[in-house]
Amino acid sequence: MRDLLRAGRTVVRAQARLRWSLVGALIVVLVAVPVALAHRPVPATGVAPGTLREEIMASARRPFHGYAQSTGSLGLPALPGLAQVTAALSGTTEMRVWYAAPDRWRLDVLGPGTERDLYRSGDGQVVWDYGDNQLSLILGEQPVRLPRAADLTPPELARRLLSLAAGDRLEPLPGRRVAGVLAAGLRIVPAAAGTTIAHADIWADRASGLPVRVEVTARGVARPVFVTRFLELILAAPAAGVLEPPARRPGTGFTTTEAADVLGVLDRWDSVTPPDLLAGQPRQPAAGGVTALGAYGTGLARFVVVGLPGRPTS
């Protein structure tokens, strides 16, 4: 009898070991498959940088929706009234974006227990602040404004960099897979020596030209100081309903305001006019012809100077 009991326990233990071995093997497979897919060879894209640039610039009307993440390590100090700007450039920003057209899109900035949504339509912009339970309607356009999270998605940042890179050198980069799509790459190398940017790398979906990843690397460092990329991407139009701002409900705050007219304010101030020559660069015409603004340099070495007064005149 004892022999039978020992034999039974041995069979049970063997079956248990077999079951746990199967479980362990399944876990290994589940972990290994995504890693293997991410590191499988990427076929050559065979696209010239100039051609890829044209495809990227033409992708502004390409609809999509997905989940993006930007990470900055610029180390900007927290400044009064500019916390959102400095946080976006010196930390990690999680974004969910739905894009139907240049004038119809939505971007949600997500955080621990917080959410701030920006809706863009032909009538203006609507901001929904979940934490403050506040809806804000913004009327008009802002020809000059501070950066916002919507500027940091891969498509927006890539097109802005390329629009500034006139005269800068374009170099091909090896393709890579980003958010499940095969992406072709190009590198922008500034022609001017005065910029702090060593190069900006852009990868775009080979089929549509939509940028999916952007890396900006500063001079003297090996790792990028700013990266924005898609983690999930669907190359299809978002549902119309998701682009509609939430309806105002009882208890929800609501405000209507006009877009800040920065140029008008500068015109009303007794502002200092920037010099005609700065850092060896001649001054160029600025937006709106405002004398308080001075643009200098070319390509990614371009910078803007604002002359501010001690006090406004009106």
Side-chain angles (χ1 to χ4, degrees):
M1 179 65 69
R2 291 179 180 177
D3 292 339
L4 290 175
L5 290 175
R6 282 197 296 270
R9 287 196 293 268
T10 300
V11 171
V12 170
R13 285 196 295 267
Q15 291 176 342
R17 285 196 297 269
L18 177 60
R19 287 197 297 269
W20 282 111
S21 297
L22 292 174
V23 171
L26 179 60
I27 293 174
V28 170
V29 170
L30 292 176
V31 171
V33 166
V35 174
L37 291 176
H39 290 84
R40 68 191 187 275
V42 178
T45 56
V47 56
T51 301
L52 184 58
R53 180 192 186 280
E54 294 175 0
E55 294 176 355
I56 290 173
M57 299 306 291
S59 71
R61 305 200 67 83
R62 173 77 191 199
F64 66 90
H65 51 105
Y67 182 77
Q69 180 189 76
S70 69
T71 303
S73 56
L74 300 183
L76 300 178
L79 300 174
L82 298 176
Q84 293 183 5
V85 177
T86 56
L89 298 177
S90 300
T92 298
T93 304
E94 309 285 346
M95 299 169 284
R96 178 71 67 177
V97 57
W98 297 264
Y99 185 94
D103 60 349
R104 186 163 174 76
W105 48 264
R106 168 186 169 184
L107 182 127
D108 297 358
V109 178
L110 310 174
T114 65
E115 180 177 327
R116 185 177 176 87
D117 307 342
L118 175 61
Y119 297 79
R120 178 71 169 88
S121 67
D123 298 330
Q125 304 172 59
V126 173
V127 176
W128 162 242
D129 193 313
Y130 173 82
D132 292 340
N133 193 26
Q134 177 79 27
L135 275 171
S136 302
L137 173 62
I138 304 175
L139 302 175
E141 297 293 337
Q142 298 168 296
V144 176
R145 58 173 173 77
L146 293 171
R148 60 190 181 192
D151 300 324
L152 304 181
T153 64
E156 286 298 316
L157 183 58
R159 288 192 287 263
R160 287 177 182 273
L161 288 173
L162 286 172
S163 66
L164 292 172
D168 292 337
R169 188 171 76 253
L170 301 181
E171 299 177 350
L173 287 175
R176 64 189 304 173
R177 285 188 173 86
V178 181
V181 304
L182 175 61
L186 65 82
R187 170 169 291 179
I188 307 172
V189 181
T195 178
T196 57
I197 296 177
H199 54 81
D201 298 341
I202 300 171
W203 285 269
D205 172 41
R206 187 62 195 92
S208 65
L210 185 76
V212 294
R213 184 182 180 103
V214 179
E215 299 179 356
V216 179
T217 302
R219 293 185 184 275
V221 298
R223 300 176 62 86
V225 296
F226 189 85
V227 177
T228 179
R229 57 180 177 142
F230 279 113
L231 301 179
E232 301 172 6
L233 178 63
I234 299 175
L235 293 167
V242 78
L243 301 177
E244 296 296 330
R248 183 182 177 186
R249 298 178 180 178
T252 299
F254 182 81
T255 60
T256 301
T257 184
E258 293 187 0
D261 184 6
V262 177
L263 298 181
V265 171
L266 290 175
D267 265 342
R268 290 194 298 270
W269 283 0
D270 184 18
S271 302
V272 176
T273 300
D276 293 333
L277 189 68
L278 187 62
Q281 300 294 330
R283 182 185 177 194
Q284 304 167 17
V290 177
T291 58
L293 291 178
Y296 302 86
T298 59
L300 296 185
R302 184 179 175 88
F303 61 96
V304 176
V305 173
V306 181
L308 298 177
R311 65 180 64 183
T313 57
S314 62

